[in-house]
């Protein structure tokens, strides 16, 4: 962790296909997360069609000030759309 803390290199994701979606909601992100947050796949491929969002995260890696331009701050009223219940019907198969 000490080495990663000096040179953060873990990214939250990168677009493999057009219309990629990744959202991190209310997560703890340590300093190991790159300040840029997200990594490109190949040049500008899929950057105009993806949605990579964040909302309510905490920790050193959650600072949005250096995020890439194609990262989004998810609006509060959209957060429930990405909940385990709505997105993958988690309440039907996950144990609590």
């Amino acid at each position: 962790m000490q080495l990663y803390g000096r040179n953060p290199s873990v990214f939250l994701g990168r677009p493999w296909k057009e219309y990629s979606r990744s959202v991190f909601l209310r997560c703890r992100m340590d300093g190991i997360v790159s300040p840029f947050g997200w990594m490109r796949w190949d040049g500008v491929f899929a950057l105009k069609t993806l949605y990579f969002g964040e909302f309510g995260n905490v920790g050193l890696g959650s600072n949005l000030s250096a995020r890439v331009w194609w990262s989004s701050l998810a609006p509060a009223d959209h957060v429930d759309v990405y909940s385990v219940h709505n997105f993958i019907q988690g309440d039907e198969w996950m144990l609590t």
Side-chain angles (χ1 to χ4, degrees):
M1 284 303 294
Q2 289 177 338
L3 290 175
Y4 283 118
R6 282 186 249 137
N7 186 15
S9 60
V10 173
F11 291 89
L12 301 175
R14 60 184 179 180
W16 286 28
K17 301 282 185 183
E18 293 178 316
Y19 302 98
S20 296
R21 300 284 181 266
S22 292
V23 182
F24 284 82
L25 305 173
R26 299 181 182 117
C27 297
R28 175 166 181 77
M29 297 181 177
D30 288 326
I32 193 172
V33 175
S34 168
F36 302 120
W38 309 92
M39 178 188 279
R40 296 175 192 238
W41 180 258
D42 184 20
V44 296
F45 173 75
L47 297 184
K48 291 184 179 180
T49 62
L50 62 74
Y51 181 79
F52 282 4
E54 300 177 59
F55 178 84
N57 299 319
V58 297
L60 294 174
S62 68
N63 185 343
L64 301 175
S65 64
R67 292 295 197 250
V68 294
W69 63 266
W70 37 276
S71 179
S72 298
L73 178 60
D77 59 338
H78 291 188
V79 170
D80 286 340
V81 171
Y82 298 106
S83 71
V84 171
H85 167 74
N86 288 323
F87 196 65
I88 59 172
Q89 294 76 42
D91 57 334
E92 295 177 13
W93 59 273
M94 289 179 67
L95 301 175
T96 57

